Amino acid sequence: MIKIKNLKKYYDKELVIDDVSLEINKGEIYAIVGHSGAGKSTLLRCINGLEDYQEGSLKVLDFEIKNLKQKNPKKLRNLRKDIGMIFQNFALMERKNIFENVAMPLRTHFTQCKIHSKIFNKEYMSEKEINEKVHSLLEIVGLKHKFNAYPKELSGGQKQRVAIARALTLNPKILLSDEATSALDPNTTKNILELINKINTEFGITVVLVTHEMDVVKDIAQKALLLEHGKIIGSGAIDELFLKPNHKMKEFLGESDFLPTHGLNIKLYFPKEIVENKVITHMARTLDIDFNIVWGKIEKLNGKALGNLVINIDHKDKDKVLNYIEKNGVLWEFAS
Ligand SMILES: Nc1ncnc2c1ncn2[C@@H]1O[C@H](COP(=O)(O)OP(=O)(O)OP(=O)(O)O)[C@@H](O)[C@H]1O
């Protein structure tokens, strides 16, 4: 769906996207994560052709965005039909009611006049069809009853639902979300993420989420990429990223392991099937050994509980402990 290779983007002489490569497949929910100023929004804006880039390749649905921007703006406009976008500040038209806000892309893209359609070779859509489309989208986002209201009469969560309905009007294949939940409280955030998840599964829409909120990533994304000063400092499936974080990822998460300097530190990774089993206490009983639990966590990633734990054991127990944990399907490595 989206293929980016060695992308570089400068603002004047400042390099803000530094050799970024990534691939987002159809139907994925992919998060772009990083602190403020990391280049997340810029990357998203390059994807939908709002920004130029100077080096590398960025293909959306097999079209090189730079070529379309330079040589085929009409095609770029058409491609944008396949890309819906939502923002932190909702970007609704305050003077128009909810119905008209959602209808706006339809009115821009289609003409409601058959004669115009013929003369200007523009696609036609009748008022009745617009009406049906808008109402069906408002139903999907749970706001059918609010079609007549104005943005100022809605809560933040409701406004974002309207923005989502509007982003879906032209049946996009991709939904780009730029900090869509950053202005919302945790409960509303959860509801909006559920809606995005529903849209992803029911309509097969690929979602690219820009966020600085780790909880958002953990809740909904299957893959993530971590940006720092425009550079990728980690990427991959989120269970790998969170449970086996590299040094940079740990820094980003604000984690560090304080490991004892005596004995052996072993980091255990619990796959989802065994996370809730009492492997560790069972091991202590079965092997009749003592050990310390140094550090551990269980994360709910994408609806699945996964965990890791660092234990400290005596050197003399090494063989029997490793033997035991391997037999029980627990992945491990020495922690240092
Ligand atoms: N239009 C612009 N002109 C010049 N520099 C810009 C422009 N937009 C962004 N930048 C710079 O590019 C860098 C990346 O900005 P960007 O907005 O992409 O970061 P971000 O990770 O999305 O941050 P935030 O989460 O705060 O929105 C920053 O150093 C920013 O100052």
Side-chain angles (χ1 to χ4, degrees):
M1 275 263 137
I2 300 174
K3 279 190 189 157
I4 302 181
K5 260 199 173 150
N6 306 111
L7 193 79
K8 290 194 181 181
K9 153 89 189 157
Y10 295 82
Y11 282 118
D12 292 327
K13 284 187 181 142
E14 191 194 347
L15 181 60
V16 291
I17 300 293
D18 187 358
D19 204 23
V20 163
S21 301
L22 65 95
E23 202 165 323
I24 303 176
N25 300 315
K26 186 172 186 315
E28 276 177 352
I29 301 187
Y30 195 105
I32 299 172
V33 197
H35 293 304
S36 182
K40 309 179 296 291
S41 301
T42 304
L43 186 56
L44 210 60
R45 289 163 62 80
C46 287
I47 292 174
N48 73 357
L50 288 171
E51 293 283 356
D52 284 323
Y53 46 95
Q54 285 73 36
E55 286 178 43
S57 161
L58 194 169
K59 285 187 179 167
V60 178
L61 298 165
D62 282 334
F63 292 102
E64 182 69 48
I65 295 293
K66 192 195 256 177
N67 293 346
L68 295 189
K69 265 181 94 76
Q70 289 168 354
K71 298 177 196 144
N72 201 342
K74 187 161 177 234
K75 181 72 214 163
L76 180 62
R77 271 199 302 279
N78 261 331
L79 183 68
R80 286 218 184 100
K81 190 170 159 269
D82 287 328
I83 309 175
M85 188 147 177
I86 52 175
F87 307 89
Q88 176 175 359
N89 64 3
F90 323 119
L92 299 181
M93 298 178 294
E94 293 296 324
R95 288 159 172 269
K96 303 253 182 205
N97 68 13
I98 299 315
F99 180 95
E100 284 306 327
N101 265 281
V102 178
M104 190 267 288
L106 298 173
R107 297 206 188 284
T108 315
H109 192 81
F110 299 97
T111 172
Q112 283 76 70
C113 167
K114 280 194 171 154
I115 299 166
H116 266 199
S117 162
K118 284 205 177 102
I119 300 173
F120 299 110
N121 195 19
K122 201 172 175 187
E123 283 177 85
Y124 170 79
M125 191 173 195
S126 69
E127 265 311 321
K128 183 167 172 280
E129 286 167 312
I130 290 183
N131 199 49
E132 281 167 7
K133 181 79 186 173
V134 171
H135 281 290
S136 82
L137 286 167
L138 285 175
E139 177 143 32
I140 290 168
V141 301
L143 283 181
K144 205 171 163 61
H145 56 298
K146 292 281 185 189
F147 71 97
N148 229 350
Y150 282 80
K152 67 173 185 312
E153 299 167 308
L154 302 186
S155 68
Q158 288 172 329
K159 284 183 196 172
Q160 198 54 284
R161 284 171 187 273
V162 175
I164 290 172
R166 182 186 54 190
L168 298 180
T169 47
L170 300 173
N171 304 323
K173 298 187 173 75
I174 299 168
L175 178 68
L176 305 180
S177 164
D178 194 354
E179 299 277 12
T181 55
S182 298
L184 307 174
D185 64 64
N187 236 344
T188 313
T189 293
K190 198 165 162 282
N191 294 335
I192 293 294
L193 293 180
E194 275 167 13
L195 177 60
I196 293 175
N197 221 343
K198 172 175 134 179
I199 286 161
N200 167 258
T201 41
E202 283 183 18
F203 305 108
I205 295 177
T206 306
V207 178
V208 187
L209 280 176
V210 154
T211 182
H212 65 276
E213 297 168 302
M214 276 301 160
D215 287 343
V216 167
V217 181
K218 289 179 195 167
D219 260 8
I220 189 176
Q222 289 125 20
K223 290 187 187 162
L225 171 151
L226 199 64
L227 269 189
E228 191 179 84
H229 306 305
K231 264 188 184 309
I232 296 181
I233 55 168
S235 69
I238 58 155
D239 38 4
E240 286 277 314
L241 273 179
F242 282 96
L243 294 177
K244 281 185 150 191
N246 63 20
H247 174 65
K248 284 283 186 186
M249 183 74 181
K250 274 186 194 163
E251 257 179 34
F252 186 82
L253 293 170
E255 287 175 4
S256 56
D257 297 341
F258 298 103
L259 299 175
T261 48
H262 58 85
L264 265 182
N265 297 308
I266 301 176
K267 189 162 191 178
L268 310 171
Y269 300 96
F270 298 98
K272 61 180 185 304
E273 317 76 65
I274 61 167
V275 71
E276 272 146 340
N277 285 358
K278 298 180 174 63
V279 177
I280 291 302
T281 45
H282 187 253
M283 178 172 85
R285 261 184 286 128
T286 316
L287 303 183
D288 191 22
I289 57 164
D290 288 321
F291 58 83
N292 291 315
I293 292 177
V294 179
W295 187 88
K297 67 176 172 184
I298 290 179
E299 292 272 18
K300 205 161 179 214
L301 296 175
N302 217 340
K304 299 177 289 195
L306 295 160
N308 64 29
L309 190 70
V310 178
I311 58 171
N312 178 269
I313 61 167
D314 243 30
H315 282 284
K316 67 175 174 36
D317 296 327
K318 176 181 159 193
D319 288 345
K320 53 182 178 181
V321 167
L322 294 184
N323 207 356
Y324 180 90
I325 56 183
E326 276 183 358
K327 260 196 200 147
N328 281 277
V330 179
L331 303 173
W332 66 274
E333 66 187 9
F334 290 117
S336 51

